[in-house]
Amino acid sequence: MSVSVLVAAPLPRAFDYRVPDGMAGVDGGISPLASGTVVVVPLGRREVVGVVWGPGSDDVAPGRLKDIVAVLDLPRLTRSFRAFIDWVARYVMAPPGSVLRLAIGSPALMDPPRPITLYALPEESPSPDGEASDVGGVRLTAARRRVLTAAAGLPPLTASDLAAEAGVGAGVIKSLADHGLLQRLVRTPQSAVEGPPTDLPPGPELGPDQQACADALVEAVRRRPDPASADNAGAEDEAGFQPFVLDGVTGSGKTEVYFEAIAEAVRQGRQALVLLPEIALSTQWLERFRHRFGFDPRAWHSEVTSARRRETWRAAAAGTASVVVGARSALFLPLPKLGLIVVDEEHDGAFKQEDGVVYNARDMAVVRAKMVGCPVVLASATPSLETLGNARAGRYRHLVLPDRHGQAVLPHVETVDLRRDRPPRGRFIAPGVVDAIRETMAREEQAMIFLNRRGYAPLTLCSACGHRLECPNCTAWLVEHRLSGRLMCHHCGHSSRLPPKCESCGAEESFVPCGPGVERIAEEVADLFPDARSIIMASDVIHTAAQAADMIARVQSRDVDLVIGTQLVAKGHNFPLLSLVVVVDSDIGFEGGDFRAFERTYQLLSQVGGRSGRAETSGTVLLQTRAPEHPVIAALTSGDRDGFRDDLLEERRRHGLPPFTRMAAVIVSGPDAATADRVARDLGRTAPAGDPAVSVVGPAPAPLALLRGRHRRRLLMTADRRVPIQQVLNDWIGKVSVPASVKVTVDVDPYSFM
Ligand code: ADP
Ligand code: ZN
């Protein structure tokens, strides 16, 4: 008896393995193993984790088949989930085994849970009555007494939890157990049975627009067939699929609205999946969730410890985790009772994975919802033009929240023309803006200064000869980070000290910083407002969720007057006392050949602006610019969001750009420039020609022509939406011979053009 097993490795297809006689599946069923069963199989000289993908193909002589080594005690992957993995692999042109690896992750994830030791009072415990200085012959210190008193009122706990409850060190717990005053219980953690909480606390009373949106979502969640019957049938059906765009200005209550849909999914015994762009920094979101639902969602992102990941994976796969919130990788968690997917800040570039399997979690979320047959909600204050295009075309249902909730009004946006209101030499904040910051602080309100550049200065050059300090591995300038005393490459992580003299002309102490980063703005602010309490919020000063939470709490409790931040501050935080936002350089995003540059700048700046005036304080946004008449700036100051997006969409249509066409980038890279060039030229020569529905430009050196020591060339294919681009790409790339040192990567629906 054989089955076909897909191994979590970059192999082109599944392979047949023999099921040893008598090998039982997870649910006790005897061979053949049911599809979806997680198994261990030999691969070369290793043993690897894989999933039974279907019946054996019988194209290998039975005698030559290798045996399945073991069946793992894990829930089977559902049919729709396996179909999803195959679909993604075909769409993004990755080996299915690589996509499976996103789902079943590292082998450690599959390890059985390790037993843990819990501590409790023994059944017949001599109670430490009154002032007695010993019990059962064991001397009682104050610390020991505290532990026994605490343990009396608590379920069995781990040593560290019990120690924390009693306010003692963990050693005290262990010595009490050694003396027999506490009992050790060894347990294997089960996927905690957390069944869906039945009575959820009610949400806030919604406004009429909010209610209408929530009703639409709740109804869609309800339409999904009953989980029990769907499971029995073994198949989900697409009838329950419905995509929504939840489109509302910052502060309009989008989160409250989709919380209603999650609540409905939970009530139905379904699982809800929420994708956030920056989950490790989303403490505020988690707090709001707990406040609304009375329990914690399962979090899934890189900062979660491996033991916790293992447990979360199992709870997800077993269907007991009712709400999972995560970064893009959470999209590949098995969720057999999936009843709702929410993608918050759907326009955010962080949903695009650029390494390994290149995919856009926002787009793949819609595909997953379709295959499962459940609603999907794409929420944003500035939906992407792709999403908007889908709404216009009637593919997505468009739900709009036009106003901020309650008394809060949208901030007033003004430009500051840097050509007139000039900052002094070597400074970056205009005099008029300095006054506005001063007035804000005088009113005891907070101000935020936004600049999307980490470090002190984006460029360092020699004042004697003009030599620029560049990364040895990348086509990029080195960025000075004065706080850490290093020059760093933001692309490869290369870091060095400032050289003592210029390597080009030999001049000493000749290096000067050019342009500002947030550290330089912080220096300027310290000089202008020596008494102000200011902090920098950027990814190189905030490393953990705890640090982020701490900084946000300090801002909220008014321990801080001025926040200087990069795009990290733009994402979803709520700062009620913040009434002024200053954008140091509104024009940064306009250069560069990326067709999404205007859209993205608009999204970023309106998101930053949305941080101000969220409660009773009305907000002001000051955009420092050298191009006040630029359409992006004009759209921000006039507040004509819809007109601006219509113009952008129209322009995309006229120029034959997505979402009206489909794109794929082909990136050739290798350690040797000549070889990379040869392959790129061959691709250019064999590019599909003659079909008016497909066009290819390039090859051309990528803007990052050198990245991590590899030379990069790009070609870009644009095709009519009806063209099956994967097939065209496969045929095309298959014609070119590629030496082992050269890599040809395909990026379907590219987001980065670097
Ligand atoms: P968005 O996600 O659109 O930015 P939020 O859901 O974060 O908006 O809402 C903004 C603020 O208004 C939050 O503090 C939220 O709790 C509050 N809020 C929104 N709707 C309501 C409501 N119906 N009742 C009470 N508070 C609300
Ligand atoms: Zn570099």
Side-chain angles (χ1 to χ4, degrees), residues 49-171:
V49 178
V51 174
V52 177
W53 220 244
S57 54
D58 291 333
D59 59 358
V60 182
R64 302 195 48 206
L65 284 180
K66 291 188 180 161
D67 278 3
I68 288 180
V69 178
V71 170
L72 293 180
D73 185 18
L74 292 170
R76 287 203 307 262
L77 305 190
T78 60
R79 178 153 73 184
S80 71
F81 188 52
R82 284 179 278 128
F84 174 64
I85 288 170
D86 278 333
W87 197 98
V88 173
R90 267 196 308 276
Y91 188 85
V92 306
M93 301 177 68
S98 299
V99 181
L100 179 64
R101 191 149 66 178
L102 300 175
I104 64 177
S106 57
L109 200 58
M110 301 296 124
D111 288 348
R114 254 175 257 142
I116 49 168
T117 306
L118 301 179
Y119 295 82
L121 289 180
E123 241 90 296
E124 311 256 303
S125 65
S127 58
D129 65 331
E131 303 297 302
S133 63
D134 73 298
V135 59
V138 183
R139 201 171 61 80
L140 268 194
T141 59
R144 286 177 170 181
R145 192 188 299 275
R146 277 210 301 281
V147 173
L148 296 178
T149 313
L154 292 168
L157 292 179
T158 61
S160 57
D161 286 349
L162 182 53
E165 288 288 342
V168 302

Side-chain angles (χ1 to χ4, degrees), residues 374-447:
C374 75
V376 54
V377 182
L378 309 181
S380 174
T382 52
S384 64
L385 292 187
E386 281 75 7
T387 295
L388 218 55
N390 279 320
R392 296 271 156 88
R395 285 187 286 269
Y396 296 177
R397 181 155 168 209
H398 200 169
L399 303 177
V400 181
L401 290 171
D403 305 309
R404 281 194 161 181
H405 170 73
Q407 304 305 311
V409 288
L410 280 172
H412 172 71
V413 185
E414 276 175 45
T415 55
V416 176
D417 189 339
L418 290 175
R419 296 165 307 186
R420 297 213 193 95
D421 196 0
R422 254 177 231 261
R425 228 183 117 68
R427 294 289 174 101
F428 305 93
I429 304 176
V433 175
V434 172
D435 293 340
I437 297 173
R438 186 169 291 124
E439 285 159 23
T440 304
M441 293 201 302
R443 287 195 306 270
E444 312 228 305
E445 292 166 0
Q446 294 167 313

Side-chain angles (χ1 to χ4, degrees), residues 204-206 210 249 251-256 288 405 574 614:
E205 195 171 319
L206 298 179
Q210 294 179 336
V249 296
S252 58
K254 295 183 294 298
T255 315
E256 300 295 345
R288 275 181 76 177
H405 170 73
N574 220 329
R614 295 200 114 208

